[in-house]
Amino acid sequence: MLRIRCPWCGTRDEVEFNFGGESHITRPGLDADDALWSDYLFNKENPRGVHYEHWLHKYGCGRWFNIARDTLTHEIHAVYAMGDPKPELVEKIAGD
Amino acid sequence: MHDHKGWPAAWRSPELKKNYDVVIIGAGGHGLATAYYLAKKHAVKNIAVLDKGWLGGGNTGRNTQVTRSNYYWPQSAAFFDHSLKLYEGLGRELNFNVMLSQRGVLTLAHSVHDLEGMRRWANAIRINKVDAEILTPAEVKKLVPMINLDCRFPVHGGFIQRRAGISRHDAVAWGFARAASSLGVDIIQQCEVTGFNIQSGRVTGVNTTRGTVEAEKISFSVAGNTSHIAKMAGFRVPITSMQLQAMVSEPIKPCLHTVLTSSVIHMYVSQSDRGELVFGGGADVYNSYAQRGGIPLLQENVAALLELIPAFSRLRLMRQWAGITDITPDTTPLMGHTPVQNLYFSGGWGTGGYKAIPAGGDTMAYTIANDRPHPLICDFGLDRFESGKLVDEGAASGVAH
Ligand SMILES: Cc1cc2nc3c(=O)[nH]c(=O)nc-3n(C[C@H](O)[C@H](O)[C@H](O)COP(=O)(O)OP(=O)(O)OC[C@H]3O[C@@H](n4cnc5c(N)ncnc54)[C@H](O)[C@@H]3O)c2cc1C
Ligand SMILES: [Zn+2]
């Protein structure tokens, strides 16, 4: 069971949240070719290690936020606001 | 009689050579079957299959063994029915009992609309020349006497593919391993691939924890690690890796004679030959490589099972585990060429690639030997995401395995 710290409500069980997927994806311009456009639409980072992702506190405050979570250990290294850049992670992080 | 002594080794455990015609990364069902058909049908002599763990220790040894071919789109039906036909002859082909039991897969409808959708689905399947039969609630009850038809989502009927069923997943891995090994394939376990040697867009070898290996052609089938290996080769894939759980109850006398599945309450269950109920449901829906599975989903699976068959509430849960499934946006696999020359792959099998092992091996062997996709898989390439020709099987079938 993931325990996720909502920036507004505090730490709650995973079942209160909806997973939103990878963060920091930038939409290319309208002049993008098919390759760039399909990369934007479909390809994923999907790392074995730290993943920057967004969650919705659906059965709580109803707000979105970002976290940096290790996909091997499920440890959450940072919680940060939507629109913020990827945080610098200081701790030694497992995975690759 | 022999006190289990004197069993000969089923496959050789040779030293890794410096050079092969074909190197296959991943000794799951797909990698082993690909090696077998390459040696058997295409007379490739010098093949190695490398695995970082032990053969069959990935999803091939973790799945719930369901085999069916009732897919909606013609491309999928043709491929998966080829696989089911190969399964029907696999015991003989490999001289290894894979314990195929064609006890049928029954999919339940839980509303009028659900049943209407199912009629359309069953018709499409029949047009694809695959068997499908609509059942009334009474016929469902006859097949599964313990079922609770008036559950939270009442059972309005269902449909069955009678040729579908289950088999023994370890036997499939071991059977292909033994048969491939006896055709001269080197299976190297505990040998992790850590990188590729790529020169001007063409792959020439791999780096492993046991040294460097050169190869004419390389293919990877590493369910749960496709993104990771693709990244080593310098390209991105449309895959999200998630944990899929399964669990078994304590063994009881035979009471469930078909594979029961419901996409509405998201559960499927069968009874193994040992008497255990083997069941599962949806995936834990966030990226993970943890191979554990979370408690909330486990509880959902159990609740769904007990809703359908309340009598099972007295049983103890014996084991629970998870594998990492690589999910594509259209839930159709990714097979064939990669952007790197002489590098091929078979991945994105998600929650349903066990049933695909023989056909996956057969068609990948053809693709590697001829450097051109087998006709059955030409719509399963990575290029479909650019052309837009997706094979949206998840939406069409609404079933996750
Ligand atoms: C719980 C569960 C239930 C399932 N139920 C069903 C079902 O009922 N029916 C169905 O059809 N499918 C089912 N599936 C899906 C099915 O199990 C998989 O799609 C299928 O087994 C994939 O086979 P594979 O050979 O591609 O992968 P695997 O069997 O996972 O083999 C991949 C191998 O690659 C190796 N590997 C990875 N990285 C490296 C590396 N760097 N170097 C060397 N080796 C590496 C791994 O050690 C592993 O042995 C289920 C899956 C799960 C997890
Ligand atoms: Zn909140």
Side-chain angles (χ1 to χ4, degrees):
Chain A
M1 164 93 75
L2 300 183
R3 300 267 293 155
I4 301 170
R5 185 167 62 77
C6 169
W8 293 280
C9 311
T11 304
R12 302 289 181 86
D13 288 351
E14 136 191 6
V15 291
E16 292 189 17
F17 300 87
N18 270 16
F19 179 58
E22 184 181 332
S23 297
H24 310 292
I25 297 175
T26 18
R27 187 187 174 108
L30 287 177
D31 54 351
D33 61 11
D34 288 352
L36 190 59
W37 192 250
S38 74
D39 182 63
Y40 157 68
L41 279 182
F42 298 114
N43 286 340
K44 305 270 186 256
E45 276 301 309
N46 194 29
R48 201 168 78 183
V50 178
H51 192 226
Y52 299 88
E53 58 192 28
H54 47 291
W55 288 75
L56 171 68
H57 194 188
K58 192 174 177 191
Y59 304 105
C61 61
R63 290 205 248 186
W64 286 99
F65 56 95
N66 279 317
I67 66 174
R69 183 181 58 91
D70 193 304
T71 59
L72 268 174
T73 62
H74 293 174
E75 187 175 354
I76 297 169
H77 293 286
V79 178
Y80 58 106
M82 296 301 289
D84 277 4
K86 281 184 195 176
E88 298 267 338
L89 300 177
V90 279
E91 296 159 66
K92 166 102 184 64
I93 288 167
D96 46 9
Chain B
M1 308 300 148
H2 300 287
D3 201 19
H4 281 286
K5 290 193 185 96
W7 285 90
W11 47 80
R12 298 170 297 112
S13 296
E15 284 299 308
L16 181 67
K17 289 190 279 193
K18 286 269 157 267
N19 195 295
Y20 289 94
D21 294 341
V22 178
V23 162
I24 293 165
I25 307 167
H30 281 276
L32 293 166
T34 303
Y36 171 73
Y37 289 113
L38 267 173
K40 173 93 191 285
K41 290 174 90 170
H42 304 280
V44 179
K45 286 281 161 284
N46 202 12
I47 306 171
V49 186
L50 316 180
D51 201 290
K52 67 174 177 183
W54 66 96
L55 71 86
N59 287 356
T60 298
R62 293 166 191 262
N63 61 63
T64 44
Q65 323 190 124
V66 176
T67 299
R68 59 183 179 91
S69 61
N70 50 357
Y71 281 68
Y72 183 84
W73 294 106
Q75 305 96 309
S76 319
F79 176 86
F80 285 101
D81 209 48
H82 177 52
S83 210
L84 183 50
K85 283 176 185 149
L86 289 176
Y87 260 113
E88 287 171 340
L90 201 59
R92 224 165 299 123
E93 171 81 22
L94 302 176
N95 186 26
F96 205 113
N97 189 358
V98 299
M99 298 169 81
L100 176 70
S101 161
Q102 291 172 291
R103 56 184 71 182
V105 171
L106 169 60
T107 309
L108 298 174
H110 294 274
S111 69
V112 180
H113 317 288
D114 206 9
L115 190 60
E116 281 311 304
M118 215 164 264
R119 277 188 214 287
R120 174 168 173 259
W121 181 11
N123 275 335
I125 289 163
R126 276 202 293 261
I127 292 169
N128 290 334
K129 297 195 176 66
V130 172
D131 66 299
E133 212 178 298
I134 296 281
L135 301 185
T136 63
E139 287 168 324
V140 168
K141 184 82 183 167
K142 196 163 170 230
L143 205 60
V144 188
M146 291 173 108
I147 199 168
N148 170 23
L149 293 178
D150 298 318
C151 58
R152 166 78 177 78
F153 299 98
V155 176
H156 282 244
F159 91 102
I160 188 166
Q161 181 185 17
R162 299 209 188 259
R163 284 169 58 233
I166 55 175
S167 50
R168 184 179 178 208
H169 52 209
D170 294 326
V172 171
W174 298 339
F176 272 117
R178 190 180 71 174
S181 176
S182 68
L183 290 173
V185 172
D186 284 359
I187 301 168
I188 317 279
Q189 306 183 69
Q190 268 128 43
C191 176
E192 179 169 357
V193 170
T194 53
F196 291 98
N197 295 324
I198 296 171
Q199 272 146 27
S200 31
R202 189 168 159 272
V203 75
T204 57
V206 287
N207 302 322
T208 80
T209 46
R210 295 184 178 216
T212 313
V213 188
E214 284 176 6
E216 203 62 38
K217 293 175 176 179
I218 297 171
S219 181
F220 63 93
S221 42
V222 289
N225 279 289
T226 314
S227 297
H228 188 65
I229 300 283
K231 191 188 255 175
M232 286 180 192
F235 64 97
R236 274 154 59 87
V237 285
I239 281 179
T240 302
S241 298
M242 292 178 181
Q243 302 175 97
L244 183 69
Q245 311 188 27
M247 51 213 78
V248 296
S249 74
E250 61 187 310
I252 48 174
K253 286 186 177 169
C255 63
L256 179 63
H257 309 295
T258 186
V259 182
L260 186 63
T261 115
S262 161
S263 25
V264 171
I265 65 170
H266 231 144
M267 190 280 312
Y268 60 97
V269 58
S270 68
Q271 189 173 20
S272 75
D273 292 331
R274 285 193 296 260
E276 303 154 329
L277 298 168
V278 182
F279 62 104
D284 289 73
V285 285
Y286 48 84
N287 294 52
S288 177
Y289 287 80
Q291 287 186 313
R292 288 197 294 265
I295 298 295
L297 206 102
L298 187 155
Q299 286 174 329
E300 265 177 47
N301 288 346
V302 172
L305 175 69
L306 299 188
E307 190 60 41
L308 267 183
I309 307 187
F312 290 162
S313 66
R314 300 299 177 88
L315 298 179
R316 268 176 292 239
L317 200 63
M318 299 292 280
R319 297 191 302 282
Q320 172 274 3
W321 64 91
I324 302 304
T325 54
D326 282 353
I327 318 269
T328 62
D330 58 358
T331 69
T332 284
L334 287 165
M335 299 176 80
H337 289 92
T338 69
V340 180
Q341 231 183 306
N342 293 1
L343 181 64
Y344 308 83
F345 77 143
S346 168
W349 287 107
T351 60
Y354 172 67
K355 61 178 77 64
I357 285 171
D362 186 26
T363 55
M364 279 309 292
Y366 176 102
T367 304
I368 296 165
N370 298 297
D371 191 34
R372 140 179 113 243
H374 186 284
L376 281 174
I377 65 166
C378 54
D379 283 341
F380 299 166
L382 194 51
D383 54 351
R384 72 177 182 271
F385 294 95
E386 213 173 301
S387 69
K389 200 181 171 199
L390 305 191
V391 187
D392 199 354
E393 197 51 63
S397 70
V399 154
H401 58 88

